[in-house]
Structures are given as C-alpha cells and as structure tokens.
Amino acid sequence: MDKVQYIGAVLHWSKQGNTLSFLTGSGAVQMTALAPDLIRVRFLRPGQREADWELINLDWPEISIQVQETGEEVTVFTGELTVRVGLSPLRLSFYDEQNRLIGRDHPQGGIFWRGSRVGCWKEMPGDEHYYGLGEKTGFLDRRGRRWVMWNTDNLPHLPTTDPLYQSIPFLLALRQGRAYGIFFHNTWRSYFDLGKDASDRYGFYADGGELDYFFIYGPDPKKVLFRYGQLTGRAPLPPRWALGYQQSRYSYYPATRVLEVARRFRERDIPADVIYLDIHYMNQFRVFTWDPQGFPAPKRLLNELAEMGFKVVTIVDPGVKKDEGYWVYAEGISGDYFCRYPNGEPYVGEVWPGPALFPDFSQARVRRWWGELHRELLEAGVAGIWNDMNEPSVFNVAGKTMDLTVIHGEEGRERTHAEVHNLYGFLMTRATYEGLLRLRPGERPFVLTRSGFAGIQRYAAVWTGDNSSWWEHLAMAMPMLLNLGLSGVPLVGSDIGGFMEDGHGELFARWIQLGAFCPFMRTHSAIDTVAQEPWSFGPEVEEIARRYIKLRYRFLPYWYSLFWEAYRAGLPPMRPLLWEYPADPVTWGLDDEFLVGKDLLVAPVYRPAIDQRQVYLPAGTWINYWTEERYAGGRYYSVAAPLDVLPLFVRAGAILPLGAGSSPMTAGSNSSGNGHQGLILHFYPDPEVKESTFLLYEDDGHSLSYQEGHFLETRLRLSWAEDGIRISLEKAGNYNPGRTFWQLEVHGLDREPAAVLVGPGRGDGEKEATVEWPVASAEISSAPGQRAAGHRPCRRSPVPLDGEDDAGWFYDRKLARLFLRVPDQDRAQEIWLQLTAE
Ligand code: GLC
C-alpha cells in the first residue's frame, strides 16, 4: 500500500501574468487568479493528463495582481483577496480585504497524494458550516461526515445512504455569516471528508486525476454562487410550461389510460401542464420505439392531449436493447457508438430491456447520433425528454454500474469508466439537450435527468429519484433540494407523494403543499403502488390538491422572474434562510422551512397528525399570506396548520407579481394562467422598509429569443416616505406582453388614502436592463418624497372595480387593501398613494 505523501517545500517559483507556479520535489502547483475573488489551484504531477471535459469556463479577462515575496512567504493581492503562500512547506491561506483569515491549508496537511489518489486538507474551524455537494440524504449542514461523489442508483434513501444519483463536488462554506466556496474539478470517484477523519480538518480527494480546485470568495453566499455559475454555466430559461404542475406514473398504460387521466384533470378543474410516459410506452423497453399494442397511434394520442392543453414528456434510458433486429442497436453497432472493454468487446449490462449496450456519450459523434434519434419522438409531438438510469444504473452487478475498465472516448483520447462514470448522465443530457435544440431550433429544450455532475444545470432539470412515500422523505426533500440549489441547480423537485411504497391522503396533501413551492412540481409513483393522482385519496385531499396546484399557478409570474434571476445571476429560486440571512445563527441548520425568492417563506408540515407547527421568522416583519396578520421576526412562532393550510409568510416590503389565477389554465397557453392578462402586482408596504424592488420578467415563454434580448423587464419599486407610499414601474426591453392595464393590490393599508396620483416616472429603466449580481440590492434611483411633474389624480371608485377597462382605485376597509387599475402607457410610471391630506 502506498504511503500518504504531503507536498513539500517550494524549490523555485515564478510568475506569468496572473499565474504563479511553485515547483516542489513532487510536482508543480499552479495558482491562477481568474477574478479578484476566484483562485484556481492545480497540482500538476509528472505523467498526468488534464481533464478536458468542457465542464468549466476558462474564458476570464486577465486581471492584474500584486505579488510580494517576504522571506518564507509569497503574498498575492487580487484587490479582494490576499493569498499567502507559505513556501516551506507549501501552504495556502486566504484572507479578505480586512486581512481576516477566510480559510487555509491544514498545518499538518495541505496538498497530499497516495498512489493515484490526490487531495487537499484544510483547516476546519469549529464554527464553520458546509452546504452543497449535490444530491445527498441528511440535513442541510453537511458537516461531520464523509461524502462520496460517485453517481449511484442506491435504494432506498436511508439516512446512511450515500452516494446517490448526482455528484456535484462543490462545497459552500459559511462561518460567522461569511461564505466561500470550493469547487473540486475532478470527475473521478471523490470524497469530501467534513470531519470523519479528524475534527479539525476537512479534505477533498479523488481516486485519480488531478488536484484542481477553485477557491471562490463571498462573503455573501450569493456572490459565491454567482461565480460558480460563471464557472460551470447557468441554467437557461425553462419553457414556461415546465413550471406548471406535472403528473407521472410508472406507467400510465395504455394510451386510453393516459387520456383518461388527462381528461380527469380537466373535468375536475385541476390545472396541469404535463403528463409523463414511463417505460411501458416503449416496445419492450426499446428506446425510441412505441409499444404497438398499448400505443398504436402515438401522434393521434399526442394530438388529443395537446388539444386538452397537455404536453407529453417521455422517458429515454441509455441502455439499448441487445437485439439484432432492432434498428437503434444495429445503428449503434455499425456506427461503433457503444462503450467497449479494452479488448474491443462491447460492454453489455442488464437493465429494463434485459441485456443492453450503452452509448459512449463522451464522444461528440455519439452525442450527435443520439440527439438525432429523438426526431421521431418530436415529430409525434413529444415536448420534452426524461433521462433516467443514466448513472448508468446496471442490474445484478456489484457496484450497480458499468465495469470500471470499460473505455470511453475517441481513439487516442481514451479514458476509463472510472474517470467518466460521474459524467455519464451529464453527457447523456448534453446529447439530448443539443439534439432537441437541433431538431427544434429556436425552442427551449426540456430535459429532466436523474444523474448529473457539476454544470448539469446547463442541460437539465433534476428530480431526486426514487424516494418513498414516507414522512421522513417528505422532510428530507427540503434539505436535499436546498442543497441542490446551493450546488448551482435551480430547477429541482422530488416525486410528490413519494415514489416507492403506498402513499396515503394525509401525506399526499402535505407533499403537494411542499411541491407547490418547489421549483419543479411533479407527482410520480412506482408500479404496483396505490394510485397517486390528486383525486386518488378522496374529496378532502382532492380539494387540498386543487387549491395548492392553483396556488402554484398564481405564483408562476413570481417563479418565472426567479428563473430569470437564476439564468442571469446563478441564484437558486428555492433557497435556505441562510441565503438571505447568513449572519443569523438560527438559519445555519434550518431546513424544515425555506424561502422562494427573497420575499416568500414556506414552512411545510412534514409529520402526521399535526395542526400547528413552529416557524422561525428571520429579522424584519412578516405577514401571514392567508390571514394578513403581521409578525415581528427574529423568533419562532407556533402557527396554525390544519391539513388544508401550508404556513406561508410574505416579507414586509415585498412585491409579488401573481396571476389573477382562479382559472385552471395551463402555464404554456396564452391565457390568464401565464400571468400576462391576469397579472396582479401585490405590494406589502411597511413603514420599516423604506424601499424595496422586484424585477418582473416576461417573455414569450417558449422560444430562445430572450437570448437575443426579446424580453421585458419591469422594475417594480415600493417606497415608504413621509408623504405616502410610492410605487414605480419601469419597463425595459422589447417584448410586448399585450397589456393595456396594470392591476395592483396594496396590502395592509389601515386607512383609505387621501388621494392616489398617477403619472410618468423618472424612467431610467433602459440603462438598467442588464441584471448583474447583486440582483437583490439593485440600485434604487427614484428619490422618495419628491412629487414628479405631471401626476394626475386617479379616480376613486366607491364600488369594487370590475369593468375591463376601468382605471381607478377602490379601497376595501375590511381587507385593509387598495385595488388599483392604471393604464399601461409609459416606459416608466409612478403611483403615489397620499396617506394624509396635503
Ligand atoms: C427508475 C426511475 C423511476 C422510473 C422507473 C421506471 O426507478 O427512477 O422514476 O419510474 O425507473 O422507469
């Protein structure tokens, strides 16, 4: 057995541009400042090959750095960071602008290797907390365990089960409210030891490949994720329908059953956008075929579903049935597209279709072929593709996956499965995504995946695989999804109701409440388990499901804007409280409640027989969404939560763009469900919150033209000033949602305004069209308290406004709410609610 070796002293060092190279007896350490808050560290050993998987963006404008040598140390100043490099032995320490230590190599560790294993030990302060790492069981804080990065179809998801389907070697560390990140750029089986080996150090290491990591400085966690997104890529906008409610089952079979389920949704007034076809739609699990008995006329079926407003997503697994008479198999053999052993024999593994061969997605030509195979599915009308079993999962073998000696890659660039394994699912979704893009140019592809790696957000939404219908899994879905978000993946969800085992009404009701506020909202359940449609558990649960699915649709304009933020700034829409309140110690481990955006706090019930729960409200004032009661934050409250109530709180000062929303329309269609015509802007002014903003984002919902600038951003502002409440709407961009009126509701007004004045705003929105980090604290330009010229009084209506083109306002004393309709005309508009007579 090889001995652990630690990096020794630096023999020589040099600087080239923003890279410093340190030569030691065992190899060279290269340190590059890619940005003032982003440092890449590589340990290059003789004979090692570089990983070139196109996982990371290396296109960084060169920054200037200052370097000083002082005796035993080389010090690098980037403007934001000071990196001190101890020379004997080589040790890195990172300091912030105020010269406070952020993190450093462990004095007895630092860079090490043993045989082909390489890694790095860092000091682990007792009060540092860790997040991220992709899809893991357990709680939010990852500290105290060793976690493995090795994509595995592991069942069931017990507290000790690790690894699972997704490996994302990105760690977000938080200490005393200040954050930094470590991205370990290595695809081999790797480990993050966060306190198993020793209590004062954490380490990351891999069984092969290079030690290559990125240190990302915050101190705001948003900034760390912003950079991580620049490094590994951001999620493109999903088609709008992918944010709607989705129904799945292993499997709806035959076609008549699919239609029956779809019809039930419409008959029962339960909105839904997508229905899934699991493996039985195929002819004996042969990918890219249809079962001739159960699905004799796919085009007709999909047409009928489309007429009802349903999109269809079909499952596509990687294993291609070994069958001489099957065209995909034959093409794969003749094109030499499948993975092989070093001796040239194709690798055969057992999956749903029996013995199967696996495409080598690491080759561009194979990805192209695979992408093209989707043509007929799309021609039949399929809207999106669900990639499953892509760890790859293989039945009846130790390790549950492909033989590690199998070879991937073009001739001359071969790599073993040990190196490619963690990328297999990622590369498959890349093939699918790029294929859909070529087949339907200009349209946003929708791909759902089980397996993935860092950067998976570029190609796919992620669901958390085969959970069970257990309360424990409802609870675990929260930390799991939150950490996926903190690993850079915004569009995530768990199987609502639980996949394995029999679900039941109470659990389903609670899970649909959680699911309504998860980015990806899909119910799915396994073969031979009880039915799990919204109506499967009797009228009470059906009513709850209807109510929360409709609520989901109401929140779509808010969600959609958050996905824009995810695309532009890498910020997850579903986020732990520590994301917005990193200095509040209560938030560091809090994972049974979460935020959607910055303005909505969701506290699901995740235990049986509960009609109250404890909810922590962070600093500020919070408003119960249902009752409009106000709470002072910074403490726990016991909140009523009977079966039909999901505790929901709105931050005081919030602006929520919501759909008018009672109609069961689909997210994709151009109806009130999509929030254009039916949009209502809800304002929650508060004297303590002087100013707040929200960036409302709108576009056509399905094409890629947003990438060429076809969208509309409306910056909504709310300010509380001496003379009243000011609201401004500033539009920028060239998409026209066809709106003639804005509808507004101002909450929590205990008195009727003396007057409401409407006029043109200052309108510097044009300049602000580009969102860059930090989105949340965007500059606010309109000075409160000054009356803009040209403001006209708006008509007060003594009765509720209901005329379609009626401008005016109505105050409802009982609700303490003001309803307002103003014509949409100018680039910038301002509304002034004068609270006291002048
Ligand atoms: C896997 C998937 C599950 C799917 C089943 C059959 O278990 O995780 O979602 O229903 O395979 O395709």
Side-chain angles (χ1 to χ4, degrees):
M1 187 101 175
D2 301 302
K3 234 174 83 226
V4 177
Q5 316 249 0
Y6 293 97
I7 192 125
V10 173
L11 307 172
H12 170 80
W13 72 273
S14 60
K15 173 178 183 285
Q16 239 195 343
N18 41 3
T19 296
L20 269 61
S21 300
F22 302 92
L23 193 69
T24 75
S26 39
V29 174
Q30 221 178 51
M31 191 178 97
T32 307
L34 295 172
D37 53 5
L38 178 64
I39 309 286
R40 183 180 193 183
V41 179
R42 295 173 71 185
F43 173 40
L44 305 164
R45 289 198 294 165
Q48 217 169 31
R49 275 200 309 180
E50 199 182 329
D52 50 357
W53 293 111
E54 298 172 27
L55 285 174
I56 47 171
N57 164 25
L58 287 176
D59 193 14
W60 299 86
E62 190 166 315
I63 61 158
S64 80
I65 54 171
Q66 261 79 57
V67 180
Q68 259 174 27
E69 183 168 6
T70 47
E72 285 295 277
E73 248 179 33
V74 171
T75 310
V76 180
F77 305 94
T78 68
E80 269 184 59
L81 276 176
T82 302
V83 190
R84 295 205 193 131
V85 186
L87 298 177
S88 187
L90 188 146
R91 294 281 185 273
L92 303 182
S93 317
F94 298 87
Y95 294 81
D96 70 8
E97 305 97 315
Q98 278 115 53
N99 220 15
R100 284 180 301 197
L101 180 67
I102 308 164
R104 66 174 161 208
D105 289 348
H106 194 271
Q108 276 90 50
I111 296 174
F112 70 93
W113 76 100
R114 189 173 85 186
S116 61
R117 177 172 283 186
V118 279
C120 185
W121 289 110
K122 301 226 172 239
E123 212 166 63
M124 185 165 79
D127 55 353
E128 195 158 88
H129 304 271
Y130 302 102
Y131 312 97
L133 300 185
E135 182 183 0
K136 298 284 170 205
T137 60
F139 297 100
L140 188 67
D141 187 351
R142 301 273 174 235
R143 191 181 167 108
R145 273 177 77 170
R146 187 184 64 173
W147 304 95
V148 181
M149 302 288 135
W150 186 254
N151 295 346
T152 313
D153 179 4
N154 238 340
L155 288 179
H157 303 170
L158 300 177
T160 48
T161 306
D162 181 61
L164 285 175
Y165 322 91
Q166 294 262 342
S167 300
I168 304 183
F170 170 68
L171 188 71
L172 181 72
L174 183 70
R175 185 176 177 222
Q176 295 168 359
R178 294 185 296 141
Y180 69 88
I182 299 274
F183 171 50
F184 185 21
H185 178 222
N186 182 308
T187 66
W188 294 69
R189 181 196 289 264
S190 67
Y191 309 81
F192 279 76
D193 184 330
L194 307 178
K196 179 182 159 91
D197 179 79
S199 60
D200 70 336
R201 66 179 191 180
Y202 76 86
F204 46 94
Y205 49 90
D207 285 347
E210 234 184 65
L211 176 74
D212 178 10
Y213 75 89
F214 295 80
F215 178 92
I216 314 173
Y217 172 54
D220 190 330
K222 297 185 183 80
K223 186 157 158 275
V224 179
L225 262 284
F226 175 79
R227 280 284 185 230
Y228 175 75
Q230 280 187 322
L231 197 58
T232 61
R234 303 233 176 90
L237 274 181
R240 198 176 169 100
W241 56 261
L243 301 181
Y245 177 71
Q246 324 200 11
Q247 182 69 40
S248 183
R249 172 81 180 173
Y250 169 23
S251 302
Y252 287 128
Y253 182 94
T256 47
R257 171 79 183 129
V258 181
L259 285 169
E260 185 186 310
V261 172
R263 250 180 245 123
R264 287 259 202 130
F265 274 94
R266 297 303 179 243
E267 282 160 15
R268 290 171 179 254
D269 181 31
I270 300 174
D273 268 276
V274 193
I275 196 155
Y276 281 68
L277 300 183
D278 205 330
I279 50 177
H280 291 94
Y281 81 92
M282 295 181 270
N283 181 3
Q284 293 175 346
F285 310 140
R286 289 176 185 87
V287 285
F288 307 109
T289 68
W290 293 88
D291 175 62
Q293 270 84 50
F295 292 82
K299 229 182 204 151
R300 208 170 63 218
L301 167 70
L302 270 62
N303 259 336
E304 255 179 88
L305 289 166
E307 272 162 27
M308 283 190 261
F310 275 95
K311 306 272 186 230
V312 172
V313 173
T314 51
I315 198 166
V316 175
D317 292 346
V320 173
K321 188 176 175 66
K322 184 166 189 263
D323 166 7
E324 309 288 336
Y326 165 38
W327 59 280
V328 179
Y329 173 79
E331 272 187 39
I333 291 290
S334 69
D336 188 19
Y337 296 141
F338 294 125
C339 298
R340 295 173 176 279
Y341 284 106
N343 68 7
E345 280 294 303
Y347 170 78
V348 181
E350 198 148 327
V351 239
W352 302 123
L357 278 69
F358 293 79
D360 178 11
F361 296 114
S362 75
Q363 300 186 44
R365 62 184 194 97
V366 179
R367 291 199 296 271
R368 245 198 122 78
W369 167 65
W370 190 259
E372 179 59 29
L373 292 174
H374 294 79
R375 183 179 294 276
E376 281 180 36
L377 287 177
L378 298 202
E379 278 171 6
V382 168
I385 299 293
W386 170 20
N387 283 160
D388 185 29
M389 307 295 280
N390 50 351
E391 294 69 30
S393 178
V394 178
F395 297 160
N396 310 321
V397 292
K400 303 170 191 261
T401 194
M402 199 177 266
D403 198 314
L404 300 193
T405 62
V406 165
I407 298 295
H408 298 262
E410 289 93 8
E411 231 185 288
R413 297 183 65 235
E414 290 99 342
R415 312 268 177 165
T416 62
H417 189 66
E419 179 174 356
V420 180
H421 175 80
N422 278 336
L423 285 178
Y424 193 81
F426 171 92
L427 293 167
M428 180 187 190
T429 62
R430 178 173 177 186
T432 308
Y433 182 90
E434 290 175 352
L436 297 191
L437 208 55
R438 277 192 300 269
L439 292 168
R440 244 181 346 215
E443 287 297 308
R444 299 176 201 172
F446 176 73
V447 182
L448 175 67
T449 186
R450 193 169 74 175
S451 179
F453 193 70
I456 188 65
Q457 66 272 11
R458 276 142 59 180
Y459 306 119
V462 170
W463 102 104
T464 55
D466 299 347
N467 58 8
S468 303
S469 297
W470 298 336
W471 287 102
E472 290 83 349
H473 277 184
L474 166 53
M476 194 173 69
M478 289 184 262
M480 202 179 246
L481 298 173
L482 290 169
N483 270 316
L484 271 164
L486 295 180
S487 309
V489 192
L491 189 49
V492 292
S494 64
D495 282 346
I496 294 172
F499 175 75
M500 301 197 298
E501 314 293 335
D502 292 324
H504 55 90
E506 188 187 355
L507 180 69
F508 186 77
R510 292 306 193 183
W511 213 318
I512 205 104
Q513 291 170 354
L514 165 66
F517 289 94
C518 292
F520 175 68
M521 187 187 187
R522 184 184 76 152
T523 296
H524 182 47
S525 56
I527 197 162
D528 294 333
T529 60
V530 299
Q532 208 157 261
E533 285 88 44
W535 51 85
S536 304
F537 304 102
E540 187 192 358
V541 172
E542 178 179 341
E543 185 45 41
I544 292 171
R546 179 182 298 106
R547 178 176 184 193
Y548 284 91
I549 295 173
K550 286 189 174 181
L551 192 62
R552 164 65 169 212
Y553 281 79
R554 286 202 69 189
F555 273 87
L556 273 189
Y558 183 62
W559 276 110
Y560 201 59
S561 299
L562 295 177
F563 273 93
W564 178 242
E565 196 183 64
Y567 169 66
R568 298 301 290 268
L571 313 186
M574 178 186 184
R575 43 186 84 154
L577 270 67
L578 67 88
W579 183 258
E580 302 287 345
Y581 304 89
D584 177 350
V586 179
T587 68
W588 298 340
L590 199 62
D591 59 15
D592 65 349
E593 53 181 88
F594 57 90
L595 296 168
V596 173
K598 65 183 191 316
D599 291 329
L600 192 69
L601 187 147
V602 186
V605 172
Y606 52 91
R607 293 177 63 84
I610 295 262
D611 60 8
Q612 272 195 43
R613 66 155 283 180
Q614 292 289 104
V615 178
Y616 180 71
L617 298 173
T621 299
W622 292 84
I623 300 152
N624 185 317
Y625 176 81
W626 305 109
T627 64
E628 306 249 340
E629 241 172 301
R630 295 173 98 87
Y631 297 74
R635 51 166 285 208
Y636 276 94
Y637 289 91
S638 186
V639 175
L643 190 59
D644 61 342
V645 173
L646 162 70
L648 264 186
F649 293 86
V650 178
R651 199 179 53 83
I655 305 167
L656 300 176
L658 303 183
S662 59
S663 67
M665 296 299 181
T666 61
S669 68
N670 191 26
S671 54
S672 66
N674 76 2
H676 289 167
Q677 284 81 355
L679 186 76
I680 300 178
L681 307 176
H682 293 260
F683 294 85
Y684 293 83
D686 185 276
E688 297 297 307
V689 183
K690 293 296 168 224
E691 289 179 333
S692 52
T693 66
F694 185 83
L695 192 68
L696 170 70
Y697 175 80
E698 295 165 287
D699 65 15
D700 69 14
H702 66 90
S703 83
L704 289 167
S705 64
Y706 70 95
Q707 296 180 353
E708 271 87 61
H710 297 288
F711 55 78
L712 183 68
E713 283 179 328
T714 308
R715 190 172 296 277
L716 309 171
R717 296 173 191 205
L718 171 63
S719 47
W720 186 289
E722 300 279 287
D723 61 352
I725 294 166
R726 279 170 190 276
I727 288 170
S728 72
L729 321 171
E730 277 173 44
K731 294 185 289 182
N734 56 14
Y735 172 73
N736 180 0
R739 175 180 295 118
T740 47
F741 280 89
W742 287 102
Q743 302 192 68
L744 287 73
E745 293 186 17
V746 183
H747 293 247
L749 281 188
D750 55 8
R751 63 203 131 127
E752 177 162 339
V756 174
L757 303 174
V758 181
R762 248 154 283 258
D764 44 12
E766 301 274 16
K767 275 185 274 146
E768 289 184 52
T770 27
V771 194
E772 277 296 325
W773 188 88
V775 173
S777 53
E779 276 282 292
I780 295 175
S781 68
S782 66
Q786 278 170 47
R787 185 166 164 179
H791 278 199
R792 280 171 283 108
C794 183
R795 182 180 70 89
R796 175 182 173 278
S797 164
V799 292
L801 305 160
D802 59 359
E804 270 296 292
D805 27 53
D806 229 11
W809 59 275
F810 170 74
Y811 177 73
D812 187 320
R813 187 171 310 277
K814 238 173 59 217
L815 292 176
R817 198 179 305 175
L818 180 93
F819 298 81
L820 181 72
R821 278 168 69 90
V822 294
D824 172 40
Q825 303 160 328
D826 304 313
R827 277 265 141 199
Q829 284 171 273
E830 196 173 57
I831 298 152
W832 179 31
L833 312 183
Q834 202 183 302
L835 292 184
T836 43
E838 278 202 316

